[in-house]
Amino acid sequence: MGRGIGWLTFHLPNPARLSRTGDGLVALGITCLTYAAVETAHGYGFVGVFVTALAFRSAHRGHDYHHKMHDYAEELERLLMMVLLVGFGAALVSGGLLADLTWEAVAFAALALFLVRPVCGWLSLVGSGRPASERG
């Protein structure tokens, strides 16, 4: 999908080419289109979007349009993060979010985040030739 959309965007002989319009919404459209297509094919949508972005980028690597799309995606990410944090804060204030939380669940989450995950990451890089401080 990424190569096809990249070819359509950068190589079609069209005076109204998407790369000339500078519309950042194309990044969101490509993301949604790819995610839906991959999920419809019973694939993993997140990986599909990542691979599509890599292939789209390789279609015309030096084009300025990639910077415009990247800037738009960062702005959209900040906006959605703000909405998510406001919703999370509202759920915390209402008191329903943490009602069923137990000390065992908190201990498991802390252990997974601060011990198991870093150790697994460090061990996965053992054969990489990197020094231990960089692996850490």
Side-chain angles (χ1 to χ4, degrees):
M1 285 187 73
R3 285 188 187 267
I5 294 170
W7 186 81
L8 288 172
T9 303
F10 296 112
H11 296 100
L12 257 182
N14 183 356
R17 212 184 298 180
L18 286 175
S19 63
R20 290 185 186 160
T21 64
D23 191 7
L25 281 173
V26 173
L28 181 62
I30 291 171
T31 300
C32 292
L33 177 70
T34 301
Y35 190 85
V38 171
E39 287 290 327
T40 300
H42 302 290
Y44 188 34
F46 181 78
V47 174
V49 169
F50 178 74
V51 172
T52 298
L54 289 177
F56 183 81
R57 172 85 169 144
S58 70
H60 196 295
R61 191 165 290 282
H63 203 280
D64 288 336
Y65 186 57
H66 292 297
H67 297 292
K68 291 177 184 177
M69 287 179 47
H70 184 266
D71 292 343
Y72 176 78
E74 280 188 347
E75 289 175 16
L76 184 63
E77 178 185 357
R78 282 190 215 109
L79 176 67
L80 293 175
M81 181 60 73
M82 186 175 60
V83 169
L84 180 71
L85 289 175
V86 167
F88 182 67
L92 281 176
V93 168
S94 70
L97 186 64
L98 301 177
D100 295 327
L101 190 61
T102 63
W103 285 108
E104 293 85 9
V106 171
F108 176 78
L111 187 68
L113 286 174
F114 299 116
L115 182 69
V116 174
R117 185 174 180 224
V119 168
C120 289
W122 188 80
L123 287 175
S124 69
L125 296 172
V126 166
S128 68
R130 302 281 182 201
S133 61
E134 192 172 321
R135 287 193 318 255

